[in-house]
Amino acid sequence: MKKLHPNQEKLLKLLKEHQDNPLTMEELALQMDISSKSVVHYHITQLEKKGYITRSANNAQQYYINDTEENVIYLPLYGMAKCGPAGTILDGTPSRVVPVDPAMVNFPVCKGFMVEAKGDSMTDLINPKDWLIVEKSNTPNQRDVIVCSNNGETMVKRFVKDGRSGNILLVSDNRKYAPIIADKDSLKIDGIVRSILKRGI
């Protein structure tokens, strides 16, 4: 990797130390004794260009450290809060950042995020409070489990495209819930569930 400016070395150290609770631009500037957030932003951009960090595909303010000696990565965790008609859960602020074993993420880490499940529509596969590791993608395959928003409601469902009608169906594993015909104008697919961390007994 390319040599770092002293300010970039200091910034990289701060980013490493606070991966589980990322600092804001203002806090980074204060810690580095720099008066301008734009200077901090410049050095972050340089760290990215030099390969020390990778910008998150979900949130431009979130970065992943590429040269960390710890065998752990950090993913933002979102709750399934109701979002606006045009929004997604990724527009909100993560409730926390979770350290995860890299072996659990078999896709580019910059596309990763986590969701805490609620409700029983996907039991027995997914239970309330399970943590889902999700790859940001809006191109699921047939019957993939997805995180999406439909008419402003955030949900985890199976993606099913009806070959006859062309409708997209959001299908629950729990058969007491009828399939939902997705609203093509409001459906937004945030990602595909790749792993499930069971948190119940």
Side-chain angles (χ1 to χ4, degrees):
M1 291 185 179
K2 294 183 180 179
K3 188 175 179 180
L4 294 180
H5 181 279
N7 275 344
Q8 291 162 17
E9 290 180 352
K10 188 172 182 180
L11 177 57
L12 183 61
K13 184 172 184 286
L14 282 169
L15 292 175
K16 284 182 182 180
E17 290 172 351
H18 296 277
Q19 281 189 90
D20 59 344
N21 188 21
L23 299 176
T24 64
M25 287 288 184
E26 292 87 348
E27 290 168 334
L28 287 169
L30 185 63
Q31 291 271 349
M32 294 176 67
D33 197 23
I34 293 174
S35 59
S36 171
K37 289 188 295 183
S38 62
V39 175
V40 175
H41 185 267
Y42 167 79
H43 286 306
I44 284 179
T45 302
Q46 291 304 305
L47 287 175
E48 187 178 12
K49 286 181 179 178
K50 293 176 181 180
Y52 285 88
I53 63 175
T54 301
R55 191 186 304 263
S56 168
N58 310 319
N59 184 338
Q61 298 302 313
Q62 183 184 345
Y63 300 87
Y64 301 96
I65 310 298
N66 296 331
D67 70 337
T68 179
E69 295 175 359
E70 296 180 61
N71 192 28
V72 67
I73 58 174
Y74 293 83
L75 296 178
L77 175 69
Y78 296 85
M80 289 179 58
K82 191 175 181 68
C83 52
T88 76
I89 60 168
L90 298 179
D91 296 331
T93 302
S95 60
R96 61 186 293 185
V97 179
V98 180
V100 174
D101 185 326
M104 300 185 71
V105 180
N106 57 359
F107 54 84
V109 66
C110 64
K111 293 185 177 182
F113 65 97
M114 295 177 68
V115 171
E116 181 169 330
K118 68 176 185 179
D120 65 348
S121 70
M122 291 301 290
T123 55
D124 294 318
L125 178 66
I126 298 168
N127 295 308
K129 298 192 177 179
D130 285 351
W131 285 354
L132 314 178
I133 295 177
V134 187
E135 178 183 5
K136 182 177 173 63
S137 172
N138 59 8
T139 55
N141 293 320
Q142 186 79 333
R143 296 202 60 79
D144 274 350
V145 178
I146 62 169
V147 177
C148 65
S149 61
N150 186 58
N151 290 323
E153 183 179 354
T154 302
M155 56 184 72
V156 177
K157 301 288 183 187
R158 287 198 184 274
F159 173 90
V160 176
K161 189 160 188 180
D162 188 320
R164 289 176 298 178
S165 68
N167 288 329
I168 293 171
L169 304 178
L170 304 174
V171 179
S172 300
D173 278 8
N174 186 338
R175 293 189 178 182
K176 79 177 186 181
Y177 294 97
I180 297 168
I181 299 175
D183 181 338
K184 292 179 181 178
D185 293 328
S186 76
L187 177 67
K188 290 187 172 53
I189 299 171
D190 292 314
I192 303 167
V193 176
R194 297 302 190 191
S195 300
I196 303 165
L197 304 181
K198 307 302 289 184
R199 298 183 65 232
I201 296 175

